[in-house]
Amino acid sequence: MSRYVFRAGAVASCLLAAMPAAAQTGDSAIVVTGQRDPLKLDETAGAASRLGLSIRETPASVEVLTQQDLQVRGLRTAREAFNDVVGAVAGNVPGNPAVVSLRGFAGNTVSILQDGVRVSTSTVVQRDTNMWHYDRVEVLKGPASVLYGEGALAGVINKVTRKPVLRERYLDSLVSWASFDTVFAGAGINMPIGPTVAIRADASYLHSDSLYDVDRNTTFSAGLTGSALWRPSDRLSLLIAVDHFEDRYDSSYQGLPLIPGRYALDPSDAVTTPTGLVADKALRHNNYNPAGAYSGANETTIRSRLDYAIGGGWTAAVDLTAYTAKRAFVLADSQTFTAPTAAFPNGSFRQSYQDFRHDHQFWNGRATVANDSRIAGLRNRLTLGAEHNETDFVSLRQQAPTSALPAIDVRAPVPAPLPTSSAVFTTTNVTFDSRLKQTALFAEDALNLTPRWLLVGGIRWDHMALDRTTIQNATGAADRNSPVFDPVSWRAGTTWEAAPGITLYAQYTTAVSPVSSILLASIANSRFRLTKGRAYEAGLKASGWGGRASVTAAAYRIEQRDILTRDPNNPTLSVQGGRQSSQGVELSAVVNPLPSLRFSGGVSYTDARYDELSELVGGVRIDRSGNRPINVPATTVNASALYTIAGKVTLGGFLRHAGHFYTDTANTIRVAGHSVFDASLSVPVARQMTLTLRGRNLTDAFYGEYSGYPTTNVYIGAPRSVEVALASRF
């Protein structure tokens, strides 16, 4: 992995070194002034539809974060960016970096794409990547199986990489230093090669002692992306791109383990439980993982897109994608507190140990034809398409009991060495060998019944053939299953321009999702049918005041049925029949009262619950109906204010709030709500360069951000920190 560190750093250094010789065109993008259509309602978002609809025309909630938004708000990584989405919270669980909860659902029910392609469930493929490489992040909220197949019950997040621009030559960069010895460098160059060809390349590098200020938690992530665009005419274009990302989190981190309050030196009210467990601030920086523990990934994607305007309103597009990745998760996956003894007067933790590996290959081909014409004088936009992909996924999963690692002191942890013999893996020692083939046919249509009234519909049929083998590594015994699924998903919606600048919308959508990750499901779980979901949503999108104000509002309800629960007649068996739902409202607004002043914000309220769910606890079936799903706060608030003085110096203030949530389905471990305040000061130091001083978590709040492994571990948000960043564009 070190060779990639060198390459990423070398590329960034070369690009930065070239800056003085670059053509001086454009200004730094950091100084913020008022803008028309601040919520981008008249722009298109590829994640929301393949019809080329504007966000205003789309009968769904759509949110877009541009690269400028990311830099202004200081969002360096995927987790930070996802946390800034209205109604979303994100965490860095080792097995699921940048995992997202949205509209009452989490994990596999939120699909994360790169350039419109879904490789697999987000809990398998998503990493906490550097956001430098993305032109924008598009978020479609609510079910989207009609666009992307299984999953996507709660929404879709599409990370759109930066692309070449014809006839423009520029170099942009961002370098920063922050608390906890956090260093970031990103640079990109766009270069035309004649009038019909342009290339772009970007490199990024992030290194930190710990983004959470935790001992032995060195963080590294890097990326190299490059693409070439050929557009010989207005009718034809071809894009070819290569992306490589990698990361490593040494000694990993599963959050702060809770301990009985009577043993805490500095107990807090960040977490409360009926059994008296607390989050001890005195343990804030401790990492209990063994020496040499880590999680990391290397992933490479090659893709191409061909667009051709056939004529007569017809266009065609072909997307090809190939992806390969290797991932590792080597860590202590649980900590069990043991009361003080003579050997450990402070108390100790007993830890289990896991070693999980992924070897993942995927390719995808998608072809679409689209038509924008008139039927009986009415404008009609139609897209027809077909998609096929294949996945080879091999996962080694090994787990050892607590006897494999020595006990570790709560107050003065001395990291234990990793076991050297595979004989310790007596809890689990299996290999999952999965082959998944998926074929889909889909159609979308948008018909203008009047210039102000639009009907939108879509349907998708998927054929999914899974060949799953579970091999017991100790004996060689194999269990095989080959389920086939043929789900159909659809949606119907409408938008109506009630008045100039004010659009009302409503839609009904359906979705399907496996009971767990389709590539990691046990043989037993792979035999279950897909869960089914449906959603209702209505809202408005409005802009006015000369384009200086925009607002969106939505009310929704999402239902999922056939989730796993316990058989009432035989509680030892898992059966389908459980139900989960959420309903809520969201509001987003941006106002530019003056060209130099901007207020923006969003608030969400979610009432999420298990409508029918039971679990087996100590051999007894326990009813969880009415409880809230884990990591789902009822309220979230995002707000910011930006003021530019004399067109130069920009002051920024940022608020992020999330209400309380639970780490367990029993709703006994309650993580208190929190508010985090950030501020920034941006000053131009040259015509093309801006220096930004940023303070994060200015009140030094001690708060739980997300639940970890197990439910008695909670991620504590990073303490107060400062950052100095220099952005440039030449």
Side-chain angles (χ1 to χ4, degrees):
M1 186 172 290
S2 60
R3 65 182 184 277
Y4 296 115
V5 178
F6 172 77
R7 291 176 183 173
V11 171
S13 298
C14 291
L15 290 173
L16 290 169
M19 285 169 48
Q24 295 187 1
T25 60
D27 295 322
S28 168
I30 301 302
V31 174
V32 177
T33 59
Q35 54 183 279
R36 303 182 71 85
D37 189 26
L39 279 179
K40 310 168 187 68
L41 299 181
D42 295 319
E43 298 181 10
T44 61
S49 170
R50 297 190 178 97
L51 295 168
L53 302 178
S54 68
I55 294 176
R56 193 187 301 272
E57 293 177 300
T58 303
S61 297
V62 182
E63 185 172 348
V64 176
L65 296 175
T66 65
Q67 177 63 216
Q68 181 184 16
D69 294 330
L70 299 175
Q71 291 193 35
V72 167
R73 303 177 194 180
L75 308 176
R76 302 163 294 185
T77 68
R79 178 190 61 82
E80 292 176 349
F82 298 166
N83 252 331
D84 205 61
V85 173
V86 176
V89 295
N92 259 347
V93 182
N96 314 331
V99 62
V100 182
S101 296
L102 182 67
R103 287 194 169 181
F105 295 83
N108 296 327
T109 58
V110 181
S111 286
I112 298 180
L113 322 175
Q114 181 145 317
D115 290 304
V117 175
R118 177 183 179 274
V119 174
S120 184
T121 58
S122 60
T123 52
V124 171
V125 301
Q126 176 56 30
R127 309 298 301 180
D128 197 22
T129 47
N130 298 339
M131 296 307 294
W132 171 261
H133 298 267
Y134 299 101
D135 177 71
R136 63 191 183 277
V137 177
E138 303 170 340
V139 184
L140 171 64
K141 300 174 184 178
S145 287
V146 70
L147 290 169
Y148 304 106
E150 57 93 6
L153 177 65
V156 164
I157 299 175
N158 184 30
K159 301 177 296 181
V160 182
T161 55
R162 295 183 172 193
K163 305 295 192 305
V165 179
L166 293 177
R167 300 181 181 87
E168 290 190 21
R169 185 188 305 271
Y170 59 85
L171 174 70
D172 51 348
S173 69
L174 178 66
V175 294
S176 68
W177 176 89
S179 301
F180 325 131
D181 285 335
T182 301
V183 177
F184 175 84
I189 186 169
N190 189 94
M191 182 178 299
I193 303 177
T196 63
V197 178
I199 60 174
R200 179 171 182 104
D202 287 274
S204 71
Y205 171 85
L206 183 148
H207 185 276
S208 176
D209 284 351
S210 172
L211 292 177
Y212 289 93
D213 194 22
V214 173
D215 296 338
R216 301 187 301 109
N217 187 217
T218 300
T219 298
F220 154 76
S221 60
L224 290 169
T225 57
S227 54
L229 174 66
W230 176 51
R231 186 176 292 157
S233 69
D234 292 338
R235 299 179 59 185
L236 177 67
S237 68
L238 174 65
L239 176 76
I240 298 176
V242 179
D243 307 330
H244 176 78
F245 295 99
E246 61 183 78
D247 59 69
R248 181 180 173 108
Y249 308 94
D250 285 344
S251 293
S252 201
Y253 180 54
Q254 284 82 263
L256 177 67
L258 306 180
I259 66 171
R262 62 183 179 275
Y263 300 120
L265 298 182
D266 190 5
S268 74
D269 57 1
V271 183
T272 55
T273 73
T275 58
L277 296 178
V278 300
D280 186 355
K281 292 183 181 180
L283 306 181
R284 168 69 182 79
H285 305 285
N286 289 358
N287 189 340
Y288 299 99
N289 260 289
Y294 76 99
S295 64
N298 288 311
E299 54 184 6
T300 302
T301 305
I302 302 174
R303 65 184 188 281
S304 67
R305 179 179 175 92
L306 177 69
D307 288 280
Y308 180 63
I310 301 171
W314 288 93
T315 59
V318 177
D319 291 276
L320 298 174
T321 302
Y323 169 92
T324 183
K326 291 186 180 297
R327 311 180 193 96
F329 311 91
V330 182
L331 46 90
D333 59 323
S334 69
Q335 283 98 23
T336 302
F337 179 80
T338 301
T341 63
F344 295 99
N346 299 313
S348 63
F349 288 115
R350 298 306 306 268
Q351 304 180 96
S352 58
Y353 167 60
Q354 72 173 34
D355 187 333
F356 291 177
R357 311 279 174 154
H358 293 176
D359 187 353
H360 190 176
Q361 282 79 44
F362 166 89
W363 70 267
N364 181 82
R366 181 171 60 213
T368 60
V369 292
N371 179 257
D372 188 346
S373 60
R374 292 189 173 271
I375 299 176
L378 305 177
R379 185 184 183 188
N380 188 74
R381 283 163 281 184
L382 170 69
T383 296
L384 302 172
E387 186 170 8
H388 180 79
N389 58 64
E390 297 188 9
T391 300
D392 289 346
F393 183 80
V394 179
S395 176
L396 173 66
R397 301 178 72 82
Q398 301 178 113
Q399 286 182 290
T402 55
S403 58
L405 294 173
I408 188 168
D409 191 276
V410 168
R411 300 292 167 195
V414 177
L418 288 175
T420 58
S421 172
S422 60
V424 302
F425 297 114
T426 57
T427 303
T428 302
N429 192 349
V430 300
T431 297
F432 289 162
D433 192 342
S434 303
R435 303 289 184 269
L436 177 65
K437 295 183 179 180
Q438 186 168 349
T439 302
L441 300 175
F442 54 86
E444 289 184 83
D445 192 79
L447 175 66
N448 278 95
L449 294 179
T450 72
R452 297 167 57 185
W453 185 16
L454 179 68
L455 297 182
V456 179
I459 189 169
R460 178 183 176 110
W461 168 78
D462 282 278
H463 175 74
M464 303 161 58
L466 174 65
D467 187 356
R468 156 64 61 75
T469 303
T470 301
I471 304 168
Q472 301 295 329
N473 297 322
T475 64
D479 190 4
R480 184 173 179 177
N481 189 33
S482 300
V484 174
F485 308 101
D486 291 284
V488 174
S489 304
W490 61 278
R491 74 171 175 177
T494 183
T495 61
W496 177 55
E497 186 182 3
I502 301 176
T503 299
L504 306 179
Y505 74 88
Q507 75 163 350
Y508 175 86
T509 56
T510 70
V512 294
S513 183
V515 295
S516 61
S517 170
I518 197 167
L519 295 179
L520 290 172
S522 65
I523 290 294
N525 283 353
S526 69
R527 293 190 171 105
F528 289 113
R529 63 187 180 275
L530 300 176
T531 69
K532 295 182 179 180
R534 61 183 180 182
Y536 315 83
E537 181 174 342
L540 68 85
K541 302 172 184 180
S543 57
W545 200 11
R548 290 184 291 166
S550 293
V551 61
T552 66
Y556 63 87
R557 177 174 172 81
I558 304 175
E559 302 169 356
Q560 183 185 24
R561 63 182 188 272
D562 293 332
I563 65 175
L564 290 186
T565 186
R566 288 292 170 171
D567 188 337
N569 300 315
N570 185 358
T572 61
L573 296 179
S574 293
V575 296
Q576 291 185 277
R579 294 180 294 114
Q580 180 179 347
S581 67
S582 69
Q583 54 193 4
V585 292
E586 294 172 350
L587 175 69
S588 297
V590 179
V591 180
N592 293 321
L594 301 171
S596 58
L597 180 62
R598 172 172 172 163
F599 298 106
S600 63
V603 59
S604 73
Y605 170 77
T606 303
D607 178 14
R609 56 177 287 157
Y610 293 112
D611 299 293
E612 186 175 341
L613 178 70
S614 60
E615 294 180 323
L616 190 66
V617 180
V620 179
R621 179 176 176 267
I622 304 296
D623 188 9
R624 303 300 192 200
S625 301
N627 288 1
R628 191 189 302 176
I630 65 172
N631 293 315
V632 175
T635 58
T636 68
V637 178
N638 299 71
S640 67
L642 296 166
Y643 179 57
T644 299
I645 303 171
K648 294 182 178 181
V649 177
T650 297
L651 303 175
F654 309 88
L655 164 68
R656 186 176 72 256
H657 168 80
H660 74 270
F661 62 88
Y662 298 98
T663 74
D664 61 339
T665 55
N667 288 182
T668 59
I669 303 177
R670 183 185 188 273
V671 181
H674 64 271
S675 298
V676 178
F677 298 90
D678 299 346
S680 65
L681 171 66
S682 297
V683 181
V685 293
R687 181 172 178 268
Q688 294 85 16
M689 305 179 78
T690 299
L691 184 69
T692 298
L693 173 65
R694 187 180 309 277
R696 304 178 191 269
N697 190 7
L698 293 177
T699 62
D700 202 22
F702 181 84
Y703 65 96
E705 179 182 74
Y706 213 82
S707 65
Y709 302 157
T711 58
T712 51
N713 283 42
V714 176
Y715 280 89
I716 302 300
R720 181 167 46 226
S721 63
V722 296
E723 178 185 48
V724 179
L726 180 66
S728 65
R729 181 181 174 97
F730 293 89

